[in-house]
Amino acid sequence: MKTRIIRVGGMTCAACVGRVEGALKAVPGVQSAVANIGNNTATVVYDETMATEADLAKAIVGAGYQVISENREEAAREEQRDLDLRRRDLYISIFFAVVLSVIAMGHMFGLEIPLDPLPFCLVQLILCIPIMYGGRRFYKKGIPALFTKNPTMDSLVSLGTLASLCMGLYNTYRVYTGDISAMHSLSYDSVGMIIALVSIGKYMEARSKMRTNDSLRKLISMAPDEATVIRDGVETVVPASELAVGDIVLIRPGEKVPADATVVSGESSVNESMLTGESIPVDKRPGDTLYGATVNGAGSLRARIEKTGEDTVLFQIARMMEMAQGTKAPVANIADRVAAVFVPTVIVIAVAVFIGWMLAGRDIQFSLTIAISILVIACPCALGLATPIAIVVGTGRGSQYGILYKTASSLEAAARIDTVVLDKTGTCTVGHPAVNSVSDESVIGIVAAAEVDSEHPLAQAIVAYARDRGVELPPHSGFESVTGGGVRCIVDGRKVVVGSGRFLAEEGISVPEGADDLASAGMTCILAAVDGEYRTTVAISDPIREESPSAIASMHADGLRVMMVTGDRKDTAEHIAGELGIDEVHAETRPGDKLEIVRDLQVAQRRVAMTGDGINDAPALTQADVGIAVGSGTDIAMESADIVLMNDDLRSVPAALEIGRATLKNIKENLFFAFCYNVVCIPIAAGLPVLLGFDGLVDQMPMISALAMACSSVSVVSNALRLRKFRPRALGEAAPR
């Protein structure tokens, strides 16, 4: 199966979303399709052997929408051109609508229009033409949607304005036949004001939607346009897009890194805040990794390009954001169900109310005006925008703090977490352990040789210790790693076992009493045996991260239950937990044990977030309601997680949950407003003021309805945009990138 993100133009409401999704799902081979009005995309999962990209594009176009260019820059230009066109059409509609209103209602303000009855009618009719041209997109999309039995918001506006136009034409005919009184019952001004007011709302909505994607656009724009490449000893400035893997580039002080690379020569510090959210520069030396778009400090670097274009970390982050923004949160399901039947229901209500007022003895003009008001005031846009706009803004805000949500579901799930399970090494601690002591230095070379192929931080600490002391590592073979236990290896023809005391015991090796006493002081004790006999204990310490205590305090302040689960010794784990203020500790656990602990919590109706960075954390990360992987973690951990932290700051964990809660609250506010708006406004438009004795409002009801409808969509988008200024308490004064 292949996942494809397609940029779609022309979606205006929840009904449009359903129509695009339905068209895509009808293509053979499409497993799922999710359209998002917030960022104008459709995320499609399909079988490449049964469907092609051309098939998907054909389905979208066939449904009445446009496929926008894949090139992000071109897509942005198309979006801007569409906004400029909307603005031009808006100016046309407003100008002629104002002129039309002055002519139609000037007598109400003492303005005498020197026109005979028939010219008076015809001038208004002529003025409607440019107004309807300015609002032509309503008819181009709304009318065909009626015939395909998938009416949209545009259909409601089209029906309302065409009904008003027909009423105006009917009364113009009456004037032509001699009934001069009909000149006061024209409704051409309603056509003009409905189109003008709704167009204002749609323009403001489109402009606001562009702002929702600012985070993604700013992220992509950070990539430099040019790079200095060294070929055949000659420095040449080339477009960054022309770089190839293996090229050697020169990165001068203050320049951006053009793509992901490895330092070949030189030393410097690099500002990686645009990726991680951390403002402190990172020291770089030969062999270290550089990421595209990060900023070089005072030193000059030469680096070998490893990844270019969309293979870089920057573009992978952008893609992850785009994927998250293109998914649906579970909370959106209720809105989707309502939206699916909303427009047809509104049309039925309008027809029923029209018939009802006619049966009540009202004339056709009164009844039609009421029906038009219902069609215009109903707003599926607010329902359709309530969730996706908030998701787009929320995920974008998270990315500014180095917090990446993989899906909309993970963002919502983060809001509901009540229990946080933390790994110790690399999560609560720095993750760069160092050897404190070795009980028998004579075998450190053998122990280091057994650990040299391991990626575990403790193993790397032992290897570094041996090499720093110039110890030569003997040849080794048959390396075998036991996750959560230790390693087995043949070193210089001798069988070496390295790991925890429990692991050595399971291997049938007798461990003397007190071999791991240093664990009570917060150190991790690694024991080693050679040819079945215990030989040495390596005591390793891993400092607590500076931010970890405040992160734990923030979680407790938010009412979260915090637990530490680690494979380390109980004494070591309890010492670290005591310093952090964590009351619940599960030590000496294996990957399966971590998984069972998470499952047990879920059985007890707890909503669990698991945070870790290692391979041994992957099963628990997958099982948890929300898996959170720290940025320094393994690829497996990051693949298993729902949220990826691009930095090592543990405060990002409560911050990620805070952003989730703020986003979910915003979604609920939007949905509440959207539902309440329609529940309250539709009865008002149906004639409630008349029943209360306010008959004089009827003639103005279509225009009032248009204004209310325009304001509803803008209000939802504006509320969602408030998330752009949200600051997680857990991060204190930390500024977003």
Side-chain angles (χ1 to χ4, degrees), residues 117-119 121-122 168-183 186:
L118 186 58
C121 299
L122 294 176
L169 291 171
Y170 171 69
N171 286 315
T172 300
Y173 174 76
R174 288 173 58 193
V175 171
Y176 174 74
T177 56
D179 186 359
I180 297 177
S181 64
M183 65 179 292
L186 300 175

Side-chain angles (χ1 to χ4, degrees), residues 45 85 192 534 548 566 642 644 656 665 685 714 736:
V45 179
L85 182 60
Y534 163 81
S548 292
T566 177
D642 303 294
V644 176
K665 180 184 176 184
V714 175

Side-chain angles (χ1 to χ4, degrees), residues 413-423 552 555-556 558-565 582 584-586 594 597-611 620 623-628 653-654 657 661:
R416 306 183 189 277
I417 294 300
D418 56 31
T419 303
V420 179
V421 178
L422 300 171
D423 176 49
I552 304 302
M555 291 185 229
H556 283 147
D558 289 335
L560 298 171
R561 179 181 176 185
V562 184
M563 303 170 58
M564 178 187 287
V565 180
I582 299 175
E584 297 183 68
V585 180
H586 294 264
K594 294 184 179 182
I597 290 169
V598 172
R599 280 179 178 167
D600 290 343
L601 288 167
Q602 291 173 325
V603 170
Q605 303 301 308
R606 309 293 297 192
R607 291 188 172 97
V608 184
M610 173 68 196
T611 303
Q623 176 63 37
D625 297 279
V626 175
I628 304 175
V653 173
L657 304 183
R661 289 193 294 271

Side-chain angles (χ1 to χ4, degrees), residues 108 129 394 428 444-445 454 459 497 534 617 647:
M108 299 171 59
I129 296 173
C428 296
I444 191 62
S454 175
V497 178
Y534 163 81
D617 300 318
N647 54 57

Side-chain angles (χ1 to χ4, degrees), residues 509-526:
I509 300 168
S510 178
V511 179
E513 189 175 349
D516 52 3
D517 283 348
L518 289 174
S520 61
M523 296 186 191
T524 300
C525 294
I526 302 298

Side-chain angles (χ1 to χ4, degrees), residues 163-164 166-172 174 179 181-190 354 357-358 361-373 698-702:
S164 294
C166 290
M167 187 189 301
L169 291 171
Y170 171 69
N171 286 315
T172 300
R174 288 173 58 193
D179 186 359
S181 64
M183 65 179 292
H184 302 298
S185 302
L186 300 175
S187 54
Y188 296 127
D189 56 325
S190 295
F354 172 80
W357 281 114
M358 290 290 290
R362 296 285 185 163
D363 61 32
I364 187 171
Q365 181 154 336
F366 176 95
S367 303
L368 192 57
T369 300
I370 294 293
I372 291 168
S373 300
V698 172
D699 290 340
Q700 283 75 46
M701 278 301 298

